[in-house]
């Protein structure tokens, strides 16, 4: 129970920042497959699998809610006052997670360079979305306090796409929210909700409905693709992660008061190194938890 709550807490910390997805953290900590199977069971037709999936996800959900609350309280103000420090930290998280996944899947990826174009496709897709967000004059930040019907639909679609990204061990759902101009307004809406202000609740409900729809539609396809075409999917995921580095660097331009994109002049090296250290610590934690579970099974 405690381990699963901790897993959920770590996933929430990852899901709430642009860079590493909750799926990536699940992959690094070694519980990605059980997480994916639980989601599949929850939306499947087998009652026993549905119950098992619900119990597993409920335990994760306790930790996830705790992690989200911590992230919202901390990040709401920091992303405005320390924009480039956080952007550099997110870059470090993402840059460090890519070699972790490639090393873990080296046996699957070896000798399959013919799938490399899928990595290029994934990288190009994220970069194109980031550039579209920057160049577009029609896509603006969502106003949760004065929500129009169109913005409600936009939030629904953003939630559906973001949760698909969060489930994949690749691009972060928060990165997509950042690209769509929804990330910072959502942080403020959640912070207001924690403070007892329910004026943003309709928009948050639309976002959550999109999340549920996205999980229901995408989880079966993602699970099947990873089982049948794992090498192709891992190359595609690696491309998504590489492209998210560009999206994170462009993140400051999506703020309500846009700032210049992250560059060498605003890059924060200590923040970048801190992001790398966080991923190294997570990997070390995975090894410790795996050793303890193995000893427990052996009765030691």
């Amino acid at each position: 129970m405690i381990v699963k709550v901790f897993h959920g807490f770590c996933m929430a910390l990852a899901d709430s920042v642009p860079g590493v997805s909750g799926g990536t953290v699940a992959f690094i900590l070694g519980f990605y497959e059980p997480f994916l199977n639980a989601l599949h069971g929850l939306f499947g037709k087998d009652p026993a699998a549905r119950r098992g999936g619900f119990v597993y996800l409920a335990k994760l959900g306790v930790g996830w809610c705790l992690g989200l609350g911590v992230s919202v309280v901390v990040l709401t103000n920091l992303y405005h006052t320390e924009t480039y420090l956080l952007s550099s930290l997110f870059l470090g998280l993402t840059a460090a997670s890519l070699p972790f996944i490639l090393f873990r899947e080296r046996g699957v990826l070896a000798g399959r360079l013919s799938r490399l174009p899928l990595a290029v496709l994934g990288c190009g897709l994220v970069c194109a979305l980031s550039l579209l967000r920057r160049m577009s004059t029609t896509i603006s930040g969502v106003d949760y306090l004065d929500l129009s019907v169109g913005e409600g639909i936009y939030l629904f679609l953003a939630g559906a796409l973001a949760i698909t990204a969060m489930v994949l061990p690749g691009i972060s759902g928060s990165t997509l929210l950042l690209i769509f101009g929804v990330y910072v307004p959502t942080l403020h809406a959640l912070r207001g909700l924690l403070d007892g202000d329910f004026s943003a609740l309709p928009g948050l409900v639309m976002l959550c409905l999109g999340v549920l729809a996205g999980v229901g539609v995408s989880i079966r396809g993602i699970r099947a693709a990873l089982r049948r075409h794992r090498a192709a999917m891992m190359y595609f995921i690696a491309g998504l992660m590489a492209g998210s580095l560009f999206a994170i660097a462009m993140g400051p331009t999506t703020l309500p008061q846009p700032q210049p994109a992250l560059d060498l002049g605003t890059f924060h090296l200590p923040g970048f190194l801190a992001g790398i250290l966080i991923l190294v610590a997570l990997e070390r934690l995975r090894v410790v938890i795996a050793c303890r579970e193995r000893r427990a099974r052996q009765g030691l």
Side-chain angles (χ1 to χ4, degrees):
M1 172 68 179
I2 295 177
V3 171
K4 291 182 177 62
V5 170
F6 178 74
H7 285 166
F9 184 85
C10 292
M11 285 189 74
L13 294 181
D15 286 333
S16 59
V17 300
V20 181
S21 73
T24 302
V25 168
F27 197 89
I28 291 173
L29 290 179
F31 67 96
Y32 182 70
E33 295 292 340
F35 168 65
L36 206 62
N37 291 336
L39 281 174
H40 182 263
L42 186 66
F43 288 91
K45 298 179 180 180
D46 184 354
R50 191 180 299 120
R51 286 192 298 272
F54 176 80
V55 171
Y56 183 90
L57 293 172
K59 295 175 181 177
L60 281 182
V62 172
W64 195 92
C65 290
L66 291 173
L68 182 65
V70 170
S71 297
V72 167
V73 170
V74 172
L75 291 175
T76 302
N77 295 324
L78 271 182
Y79 203 75
H80 288 282
T81 59
E82 300 291 346
T83 303
Y84 296 109
L85 169 62
L86 285 184
S87 295
S88 299
L89 181 111
F90 300 158
L91 278 178
L93 284 167
T94 306
S97 64
L98 183 55
F100 272 112
I101 287 183
L102 293 179
F103 180 78
R104 189 80 62 79
E105 295 291 319
R106 62 191 183 280
V108 173
L109 299 175
R112 293 180 173 85
L113 289 178
S114 61
R115 309 291 197 278
L116 189 59
L118 290 171
V120 177
L121 174 63
C123 183
L125 180 62
V126 179
C127 291
L129 284 172
S130 301
L131 291 174
L132 177 65
R133 174 68 182 87
R134 185 182 187 187
M135 294 185 297
S136 176
T137 58
T138 59
I139 302 177
S140 58
V142 171
D143 185 358
Y144 273 90
L145 302 181
D146 186 22
L147 198 69
S148 66
V149 174
E151 286 179 326
I153 295 173
Y154 185 74
L155 280 173
F156 179 88
L157 295 175
L161 291 172
I163 193 61
T164 302
M166 287 177 183
V167 171
L168 275 172
I171 182 175
S172 164
S174 294
T175 299
L176 283 185
L177 294 181
L178 191 68
I179 292 170
F180 297 149
V182 175
Y183 177 67
V184 175
T186 301
L187 279 182
H188 283 290
L190 289 171
R191 179 61 186 268
L193 191 64
L194 291 175
D195 291 337
D197 181 2
F198 296 94
S199 55
L201 188 59
L204 291 173
V205 169
M206 289 300 296
L207 187 69
C208 290
L209 289 175
V211 166
L212 291 174
V215 171
V217 170
S218 66
I219 192 63
R220 184 170 297 179
I222 292 173
R223 184 169 176 265
L226 282 170
R227 287 188 169 186
R228 300 173 187 172
H229 310 286
R230 193 171 186 88
M233 284 294 293
M234 295 313 301
Y235 272 109
F236 182 65
I237 287 168
L240 291 175
M241 295 177 70
S244 69
L245 294 172
F246 177 75
I248 294 166
M250 297 298 297
T253 68
T254 69
L255 292 170
Q257 296 180 345
Q259 300 182 38
L262 181 70
D263 57 25
L264 290 177
T266 53
F267 177 73
H268 199 284
L269 181 59
F272 181 80
L273 294 177
I276 294 175
L277 288 175
I278 289 171
L279 258 295
V280 172
L282 284 175
E283 172 63 14
R284 177 59 185 166
L285 182 63
R286 181 193 68 82
V287 174
V288 171
I289 291 174
C291 288
R292 288 183 177 178
E293 290 180 344
R294 185 163 54 249
R295 290 174 180 175
R297 287 194 298 269
Q298 294 172 349
L300 298 177

